[in-house]
Amino acid sequence: MKQIAWIITIFLLSSLIGTTASSTLQVGTGIADATGEVAQVNFMGYAMMNQVGAGLHQRLRARAYYIDDGTKHIAFVSVDFGMGSHVVKARALELLQQDNITKNIFTFDNVCVSGTHTHSGPAGFMNHLLFQVTSLGFQKATYEAYSTAIYNAVKKSYVNSKANGKNAVIKRNAGMLSNANINRSPTAYLYNPLEERERYGNNTDHEMVLLRFENEKGEGIGMLNWFSVHGTSMNNTNQLVSGDNKGYASYLFEKSKNAKDVLPGQGSFVAAFASTNLGDVSPNTNGTYCMDTGLPCEPVHSTCNGKNEMCVGRGPGTDMFESAKIIGERQYVKANEIYESANKIVSGPVDFRHTFIDMSNLTFTRNNSTGPDDVVHTCPGAMGYAFAAGTTDGPGMFNFVQSTTTSNPFWNAVSDLISKPTKAQINCHHPKPILLNVGELTKPYEWVSSVVPLQLFRIGDFFMINVPTEFTTMAGRRMRERLANEIMSLGLSKTPTVVIGGLSNMYGDYTTTFEEYQAQRYEGASTIFGPNELEGFIHEALRLVNDMATNSKSKTLPSPEIDLKKMINLLGDWKYDTVEIGKKFGDVTKQPSKTEYKKGETVSVSFRSANPRNNLKTDETYLTVEILDEKSNNWIVVATDGDWSTKFHWQRNGKLSHSSTATITWDISAEDVAGTYRIKHFNTHKKIFSGTKLDFEGTSNVFTVVG
Ligand code: ZN
């Protein structure tokens, strides 16, 4: 008996040693402030001209994960912004290259920049014209803010990987979350073959796939997960910069893992809720209703009395802040549960492949299960009519495309450049009726991308296919399944996990299945490279898998050219700030309405302020909520503008006025302790004529919180 016990012990020990030996990974995590201009700049996502920033609810972050097997390394970055951008990635790589610590380590090939797809972040960071129309062009300050954040986060993750030791560990887990998403084009989903749909229980993916990162001491240093849901809990009336439901989930996760007094964005534990195949997936789980009648919308066209403007998705909260909170919380709770129970070790090798492909002109043989294989091709980019209708998460966008003269000066300047589609182009996109024939436009610069990136990451049995578009639920399932089969048949892995890194590296709109495309809802109309786009992407992804399996280089076109000198901007800079004669910047114009507050109440204070575009306050804050420490008589910061409980509203004191007001609100929660508090505001004003920038601050009267 004793001998058997020994044999078992030795066997167990050797298997443990085996695991450790094969998982010699160096991993690091890093977080950086990505908040761009929170005022005046249009938000990316809904393409609503009047949805411009008027303050900040929650700072945006870039979260990076560096993984190195001693031979090869990759960095995955999830950013609280609309989507990956080629110019932002290029600029971040340039900054990494200029830094002696990170020089010659990062390239287009081994870095992935994926957008969380929040629709409440500043726009103007993309080099393609179509995505600049509502932001009145390219916004340099916001572009720099995003790029610098990616650079900082990647650098931190790289530096931290050295400190985390040579035997760091990644663990994998997955779990089901069924009440945090809904299909917003269910009638298009029904176009997919019945037998295919029957293999899946739902018309959205409910699985959350997660990686847990530990240093070699076994301490948790980070979490990264993928779950399909749009960043559209905050609707197109929101004017406060926000990470939406995923930003809130990250905030909660990081708060729970970092020390209690650590302020948002300052802790070493990094938790990203990354985007994946969310193309047709909405967080508005109550479904769609008509704003005027309160009745459900007509389902096929998502209209109310024939009009799309009135039909919007709702819930699960009573307002958008509550909805974002609930959907974020549900993702956080599930992620925390599967993070805590994660135990499947992901070991090396680390590998990657990257290619730039011309999606406007890709010809390939399509495997046809029901007949002979056929040769098909993609088309130069074009938007269908349903694109103008928008979605039930944000109806009626791009209404300016209906006429050539609108209140949008940018559109007026460029609309007559639009070309008429040729017969071949019309046939190629059939049955999509072409509204905007953008793919063949290169003046004053490209309107949409033709050459797009596709990237494959590998960590042992874990594979990420990083796509530049919004794949729908079924499109994503097909991609994952086809890749997993190929990975197995080529012997790369017997039990691969494949995830889709959504909206990565560049933006090329949506990707539906061939069948969903026939329905021509918003997602099909926005599948800009035509009905065979998904098959084209799968064909190219399989090529990358093959290259990886045969250890060969992947063929690629050169990186698309970047010329920022050509970029148009009609918004212009903010020139100067003024304050009423005899008054000072930072003066309180509205004190707390009471001297004593109960938990659950909201405090509101207003200050004479200036345009926050003067100073992005990167890694700083526009506000603090402070409590008086009775013992030391010091004021301790308990909340900043990175907290969900605070809001910073900015408003000009008249339409053309250069004097402005900042209103700061703080929601007192049950966890806040009783005591004496004050609220402070920090900002920078710009002097008239000289343009000199001067910092100022303001402090409210003290008030107490009881109970
Ligand atoms: Zn989207």
Side-chain angles (χ1 to χ4, degrees), residues 45 82-83 117 119 184 230-232 278-279 281 391 393 470 503 507 510 522:
M83 57 279 291
H117 205 35
H119 281 43
R184 69 183 189 190
H230 253 77
T232 49
L278 48 60
V281 189
T391 72
D393 287 338
E470 306 183 42
L503 300 104
Y507 186 61
Y510 283 69
Y522 176 80

Side-chain angles (χ1 to χ4, degrees), residues 272-348:
F273 288 71
S275 72
T276 178
N277 55 323
L278 48 60
D280 52 356
V281 189
S282 166
N284 299 310
T285 52
N286 290 1
T288 55
Y289 292 87
C290 298
M291 285 195 284
D292 47 354
T293 63
L295 295 169
C297 308
E298 185 278 317
V300 178
H301 304 98
S302 293
T303 50
C304 301
N305 277 326
K307 287 194 173 151
N308 71 293
E309 293 90 338
M310 283 290 170
C311 173
V312 289
R314 268 195 207 162
T318 50
D319 63 33
M320 60 183 168
F321 291 99
E322 200 195 357
S323 293
K325 200 172 173 197
I326 293 169
I327 296 297
E329 209 157 55
R330 286 175 185 170
Q331 290 177 79
Y332 157 70
V333 169
K334 180 51 66 179
N336 196 41
E337 179 195 315
I338 60 179
Y339 172 84
E340 292 301 336
S341 59
N343 58 14
K344 295 180 198 83
I345 297 207
V346 179
S347 47

Side-chain angles (χ1 to χ4, degrees), residues 47 85 108 119 129-130 140 167 233 273 298 309 320 360 368 418 422 430-431 452 466-467 501 583 679:
S85 153
F108 274 110
H119 281 43
L129 189 137
L130 186 65
K140 193 149 189 274
N167 290 300
S233 290
F273 288 71
E298 185 278 317
E309 293 90 338
M320 60 183 168
S360 72
N368 193 343
I418 292 230
T422 60
H430 181 81
V452 299
N466 303 321
V467 300
K583 308 292 182 189
I679 289 173

Side-chain angles (χ1 to χ4, degrees), residues 607 609 622-623 648 662 664 679-683 696-698:
F607 300 85
S609 194
Y622 289 112
L623 66 95
F648 161 47
I664 289 161
I679 289 173
K680 291 192 78 167
H681 171 46
F682 306 86
N683 208 342
F696 65 89
E697 58 180 71

Side-chain angles (χ1 to χ4, degrees), residues 119-158:
H119 281 43
S120 294
F125 58 96
M126 316 244 282
N127 52 318
H128 294 109
L129 189 137
L130 186 65
F131 311 116
Q132 299 177 352
V133 173
T134 51
S135 62
L136 303 177
F138 188 74
Q139 288 304 125
K140 193 149 189 274
T142 284
Y143 148 84
E144 284 289 355
Y146 291 144
S147 310
T148 309
I150 293 162
Y151 152 66
N152 281 324
V154 170
K155 182 181 175 183
K156 281 183 198 171
S157 71
Y158 172 71

Side-chain angles (χ1 to χ4, degrees), residues 277-550:
N277 55 323
L278 48 60
D280 52 356
V281 189
S282 166
N284 299 310
T285 52
N286 290 1
T288 55
Y289 292 87
C290 298
M291 285 195 284
D292 47 354
T293 63
L295 295 169
C297 308
E298 185 278 317
V300 178
H301 304 98
S302 293
T303 50
C304 301
N305 277 326
K307 287 194 173 151
N308 71 293
E309 293 90 338
M310 283 290 170
C311 173
V312 289
R314 268 195 207 162
T318 50
D319 63 33
M320 60 183 168
F321 291 99
E322 200 195 357
S323 293
K325 200 172 173 197
I326 293 169
I327 296 297
E329 209 157 55
R330 286 175 185 170
Q331 290 177 79
Y332 157 70
V333 169
K334 180 51 66 179
N336 196 41
E337 179 195 315
I338 60 179
Y339 172 84
E340 292 301 336
S341 59
N343 58 14
K344 295 180 198 83
I345 297 207
V346 179
S347 47
V350 169
D351 207 350
F352 56 87
R353 287 293 182 282
H354 180 282
T355 182
F356 286 110
I357 42 181
D358 185 357
M359 277 305 279
S360 72
N361 184 22
L362 194 67
T363 303
F364 57 96
T365 307
R366 177 175 60 176
N367 290 18
N368 193 343
S369 53
T370 52
D373 292 353
D374 46 3
V375 173
V376 291
H377 54 94
T378 56
C379 331
M383 299 285 190
Y385 270 82
F387 163 73
T391 72
T392 51
D393 287 338
M397 60 191 205
F398 274 91
N399 56 359
F400 51 82
V401 297
Q402 317 260 340
S403 73
T404 51
T405 310
T406 69
S407 58
N408 183 328
F410 193 98
W411 184 249
N412 292 338
V414 299
S415 63
D416 44 329
L417 296 169
I418 292 230
S419 69
K420 264 211 176 104
T422 60
K423 220 171 176 169
Q425 173 77 331
I426 291 167
N427 289 339
C428 190
H429 284 272
H430 181 81
K432 178 200 286 171
I434 295 175
L435 173 72
L436 286 175
N437 190 36
V438 283
E440 292 167 314
L441 293 173
T442 51
K443 282 206 169 74
Y445 37 95
E446 267 199 321
W447 283 49
V448 293
S449 45
S450 303
V451 173
V452 299
L454 188 66
Q455 184 180 44
L456 179 70
F457 276 2
R458 176 188 186 190
I459 320 164
D461 293 333
F462 196 89
F463 295 81
M464 300 174 212
I465 181 74
N466 303 321
V467 300
T469 68
E470 306 183 42
F471 272 48
T472 60
T473 303
M474 197 60 98
R477 287 169 178 168
R478 287 187 193 172
M479 172 67 100
R480 289 196 303 254
E481 185 176 37
R482 295 271 291 280
L483 254 59
N485 288 339
E486 190 79 350
I487 287 163
M488 287 187 285
S489 78
L490 294 172
L492 271 178
S493 160
K494 286 195 187 84
T495 51
T497 299
V498 181
V499 296
I500 288 166
L503 300 104
S504 291
N505 301 324
M506 198 190 274
Y507 186 61
D509 297 88
Y510 283 69
T511 305
T512 64
T513 66
F514 179 86
E515 294 84 351
E516 289 163 354
Y517 185 90
Q518 310 305 312
Q520 280 300 305
R521 281 190 52 100
Y522 176 80
E523 295 81 12
S526 305
T527 296
I528 63 169
F529 301 112
N532 299 312
E533 178 176 318
L534 171 62
E535 279 300 317
F537 273 127
I538 292 176
H539 182 265
E540 292 299 295
L542 293 174
R543 172 166 71 85
L544 298 184
V545 171
N546 271 274
D547 292 342
M548 197 177 272
T550 54

Side-chain angles (χ1 to χ4, degrees), residues 205-244:
D205 283 336
H206 290 182
E207 190 176 49
M208 175 184 279
V209 179
L210 175 143
L211 294 178
R212 171 187 168 123
F213 297 82
E214 294 173 6
N215 63 17
E216 66 177 8
K217 289 184 217 148
E219 295 159 342
I221 53 166
M223 183 283 301
L224 166 62
N225 76 61
W226 292 266
F227 176 76
S228 298
V229 70
H230 253 77
T232 49
S233 290
M234 302 302 291
N235 63 37
N236 63 18
T237 65
N238 173 43
Q239 292 187 284
L240 300 181
V241 166
S242 164
D244 207 284

Side-chain angles (χ1 to χ4, degrees), residues 80-133:
D80 290 326
F81 66 174
M83 57 279 291
S85 153
H86 183 59
V87 283
V88 165
K89 183 176 173 182
R91 175 71 181 138
L93 288 170
E94 188 178 84
L95 293 168
L96 286 161
Q97 188 59 22
Q98 286 165 2
D99 188 317
N100 278 333
I101 294 173
T102 50
K103 198 177 170 65
N104 298 332
I105 295 171
F106 299 102
T107 64
F108 274 110
D109 299 2
N110 64 13
V111 175
C112 174
V113 178
S114 168
T116 61
H117 205 35
T118 173
H119 281 43
S120 294
F125 58 96
M126 316 244 282
N127 52 318
H128 294 109
L129 189 137
L130 186 65
F131 311 116
Q132 299 177 352
V133 173

